[in-house]
Amino acid sequence: MSRGYNFSAGPAALPEEVLAEVQAELLEWNGARASVMEVSHRGKAFTAMAEEAEQDLRDLLSVPTGYRVLFLQGGATQHFAQIPMNFARPGQHADYVLTGDWGEKAAKEAAPSVDVNIAASAAASNYDRIPAREDWTLDRSAAYVHITPNETIRGVEFHGIPDVGEVPLVGDVSSTILSRPLDVSRYALLYAGAQKNIGPSGLVVMIVRDDFLERCPARLPRIMNYAEHAAQRSMLNTPNSFGWYLAGRVFKWLKRQGGVEAMAARNRAKAELLYGCIDDSGWYRNPVEPTARSWMNVPFTLPDADLDAAFLAEADAAGLMALKGHRAVGGMRASIYNAMPLAGVEALVDFMRDFARRNG
Ligand SMILES: *Cc1c(COP(=O)(O)O)cnc(C)c1O
């Protein structure tokens, strides 16, 4: 076995313990004489597992009553487009707060269905901060306010939930969900592509308030209509059954780790270790304002981009994988989601110090 420490931004590392469990029951799941991928999603065994996964997620995030949990498909990107179709009435506009590339994409995909108002944007400073709340131009008549609580590419994270008054708040939590406690009650809708902190790509988890779902217009095709998905318990059509199962395994693993409070303590320690290494080096650099630095995605640059190739090759040879930064930022990016153990970040920091010593 030669599994390395995988710092990929997504699809990202999964807990090894979970992968081993899946491997052990891949050929025959739960006495079904077949794999979980080969049984009906409407059968008793699968629906019981699916309901348990939902309950485990509800427990982990303390989802209040009055919210539906949906297991959908299409990736977060499809829902960039689908959310305005469901929640904006004709003539309404929607407010988008841009703190990075994913928020930009969400606004672009929304534009054919709703008038998009960019209520705030940190584009002018190259997405290195969260724009001050008092500078946002929110409108009380907006259909909703959309934020990206963690921007995966720039490594910019909200460390609190902004007050947006009575307007429903929508959050794309793809790269931060389950990394720390989350006050679901502050949101009308949360959604996440699974491939960062939950499971395999292609699965989307959505948490949506009942009264918000009442807005979904009947004129939409059923497959696009979230209220229909909720009414059919996410089984309007064949769900991503393997993804749902794997997500359920990850939720059980998280419970065994002590839940999101325990994950938050670990994730904070991992992030502090890595940012400390960068700041103390005087050699590596992270451009994000310290108050907005992400616990999940840590971009950093070397003083000379000509050293990047050597850094990546030597890191890879040392078992530290997928550290190449996003093309929009350059340099490196270490994604340190829930499944990355502290030992992985310690190994990275040791390598970084050694590399700086040899090349600085
Ligand atoms: C990865 C990511 C997405 C895109 O997810 P897809 O499944 O590729 O559509 C959207 N938003 C954020 C914040 C992400 O990190």
Side-chain angles (χ1 to χ4, degrees):
M1 264 258 276
S2 55
R3 284 179 61 82
Y5 287 121
N6 178 6
F7 294 92
S8 170
L14 285 161
E16 216 169 283
E17 211 176 297
V18 169
L19 292 176
E21 282 171 20
V22 171
Q23 182 185 42
E25 58 187 27
L26 192 62
L27 293 184
E28 184 179 4
W29 172 68
N30 197 25
R33 295 179 296 163
S35 100
V36 68
M37 282 179 277
E38 301 168 300
V39 298
S40 169
H41 57 293
R42 304 198 189 276
K44 255 199 189 120
F46 190 87
T47 52
M49 183 285 300
E51 282 167 22
E52 201 171 313
E54 176 181 334
Q55 188 57 50
D56 285 336
L57 180 63
R58 285 180 178 275
D59 295 346
L60 283 163
L61 291 178
S62 308
V63 177
T65 54
Y67 283 80
R68 301 299 302 261
V69 174
L70 306 179
F71 289 81
L72 304 172
Q73 302 182 60
T77 305
Q78 182 179 312
H79 299 276
F80 290 167
Q82 211 173 322
I83 285 167
M85 293 179 193
N86 276 269
F87 301 112
R89 299 187 177 100
Q92 258 186 325
H93 72 269
D95 285 340
Y96 279 73
V97 175
L98 307 190
T99 52
D101 309 67
W102 289 113
E104 252 181 35
K105 285 182 203 207
K108 246 188 211 139
E109 289 294 323
S113 310
V114 66
D115 279 333
V116 169
N117 170 45
I118 304 302
S121 171
S125 59
N126 222 0
Y127 292 124
D128 65 346
R129 70 192 66 185
I130 307 284
R133 171 67 188 83
E134 58 271 22
D135 297 333
W136 298 12
T137 54
L138 296 179
D139 185 335
R140 290 218 314 249
S141 65
Y144 57 84
V145 184
H146 184 283
I147 64 171
T148 311
N150 184 61
E151 279 284 357
T152 319
I153 292 174
R154 310 284 171 154
V156 173
E157 185 161 14
F158 282 81
H159 291 281
I161 303 174
D163 183 0
V164 296
E166 293 304 303
V167 180
L169 183 60
V170 172
D172 169 9
V173 286
S174 295
S175 53
T176 180
I177 189 169
L178 294 164
S179 67
R180 58 166 84 193
L182 173 64
D183 185 356
V184 173
S185 72
R186 301 279 305 277
Y187 288 91
L189 182 144
L190 289 157
Y191 64 109
Q195 67 271 30
K196 280 80 183 222
N197 251 345
I198 294 177
S201 60
L203 176 74
V204 168
V205 170
M206 181 173 283
I207 303 172
V208 53
R209 211 169 58 208
D210 288 337
D211 67 330
F212 202 45
L213 269 184
E214 283 167 18
R215 288 193 193 183
C216 302
R219 65 177 160 73
L220 280 183
R222 289 179 75 219
I223 194 68
M224 304 306 282
N225 188 318
Y226 294 129
E228 291 284 352
H229 283 279
Q232 304 297 324
R233 304 198 61 106
S234 308
M235 294 201 191
L236 178 61
N237 66 328
T238 316
N240 176 347
S241 57
F242 185 74
W244 197 329
Y245 150 84
L246 188 43
R249 287 292 185 197
V250 170
F251 300 154
K252 294 263 184 240
W253 176 81
L254 282 168
K255 281 185 149 180
R256 292 198 298 275
Q257 304 304 303
V260 289
E261 286 82 7
M263 293 319 297
R266 280 206 218 171
N267 287 327
R268 174 197 281 272
K270 282 150 51 184
E272 280 176 358
L273 179 62
L274 185 46
Y275 287 115
C277 166
I278 293 166
D279 293 343
D280 295 347
S281 72
W283 202 71
Y284 299 106
R285 195 175 163 273
N286 168 277
V288 180
E289 274 193 358
T291 54
R293 283 174 164 182
S294 168
W295 287 6
M296 295 283 101
N297 310 97
V298 183
F300 60 92
T301 50
L302 279 54
D304 179 353
D306 287 345
L307 289 169
D308 286 1
F311 182 97
L312 287 166
E314 290 179 33
D316 190 73
L320 306 166
M321 297 152 52
L323 284 161
K324 190 171 168 38
H326 191 277
R327 59 192 178 279
V329 186
M332 311 298 150
R333 172 176 47 170
S335 293
I336 50 176
Y337 301 117
N338 283 341
M340 174 59 64
L342 178 64
V345 179
E346 287 170 345
L348 173 60
V349 163
D350 286 347
F351 171 81
M352 286 169 67
R353 291 198 178 117
D354 183 56
F355 188 87
R357 204 160 34 236
R358 288 184 286 111
N359 294 279

